[in-house]
């Protein structure tokens, strides 16, 4: 079981990621106190970044994000706009998705989901950002 971190430690871990600044860190600390104790699927759903299907019978609808906590999603959008320029990991992931034919906003949403999943794991493990 991971040890519980105080707010300052969590803040320092979250802000160690390139592209995540004070605004995003404070929003995550205030709006998502569960950060670090959730599964990747749960944290994506709480942030409103999990794709939900719109299927019925043999009809296959589009997957869309919905629900969740809007302030977190708004801040992550702006953080990702910065991160795809300054964070080499996110920049590479975004470029790969766009090159594969994904729409830019879909690729941006996928990057937001990846970022919040990474942040959740970093807080859970008590580790700062490390480039692989």
């Amino acid at each position: 079981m991971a040890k519980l971190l105080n707010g300052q430690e969590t803040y320092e871990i979250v802000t160690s990621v390139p592209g995540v600044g004070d605004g995003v860190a404070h929003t995550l600390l205030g709006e998502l106190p569960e950060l670090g104790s959730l599964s990747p699927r749960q944290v994506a759903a709480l942030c409103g970044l999990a794709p939900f299907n719109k299927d019925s019978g043999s009809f296959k609808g589009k997957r869309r994000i919905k629900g969740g906590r809007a302030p977190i999603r708004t801040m992550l959008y702006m953080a990702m706009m910065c991160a795809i320029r300054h964070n080499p990991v996110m920049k590479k992931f975004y470029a790969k998705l766009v090159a594969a034919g994904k729409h830019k906003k879909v690729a941006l949403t996928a990057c937001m989901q990846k970022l919040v999943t990474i942040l959740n794991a970093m807080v859970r493990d008590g580790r700062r950002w490390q480039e692989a």
Side-chain angles (χ1 to χ4, degrees):
M1 182 168 173
K3 74 171 196 152
L4 295 174
L5 302 175
N6 66 29
Q8 183 64 32
E9 291 170 331
T10 304
Y11 172 82
E12 289 171 4
I13 289 170
V14 169
T15 55
S16 70
V17 177
V20 176
D22 291 340
V24 176
H26 290 301
T27 301
L28 285 173
L29 288 172
E31 297 285 337
L32 193 63
E34 306 93 347
L35 190 67
S37 64
L38 302 169
S39 71
R41 190 174 294 215
Q42 288 172 325
V43 76
L46 272 177
C47 294
L49 296 171
F52 291 98
N53 55 4
K54 191 108 174 172
D55 299 344
S56 177
S58 62
F59 175 75
K60 300 286 184 202
K62 287 187 176 182
R63 276 49 178 162
R64 297 181 188 273
I65 60 169
K66 65 178 183 177
R69 299 174 183 167
I72 299 171
R73 191 170 51 249
T74 303
M75 289 302 286
L76 285 174
Y77 179 84
M78 294 310 295
M80 193 47 58
M81 293 297 287
C82 179
I84 61 173
R85 291 190 179 100
H86 303 291
N87 186 330
V89 173
M90 291 298 153
K91 186 176 193 175
K92 182 179 174 184
F93 184 64
Y94 177 78
K96 182 179 100 173
L97 291 173
V98 172
K102 300 288 183 192
H103 292 291
K104 290 183 178 180
K105 286 229 176 165
V106 172
L108 197 65
T109 303
C111 289
M112 290 164 52
Q113 184 177 357
K114 182 176 179 116
L115 178 65
V116 78
T117 303
I118 290 171
L119 289 172
N120 185 54
M122 287 171 56
V123 172
R124 180 192 65 222
D125 299 339
R127 302 178 90 186
R128 297 175 63 86
W129 176 261
Q130 300 172 4
E131 294 206 24

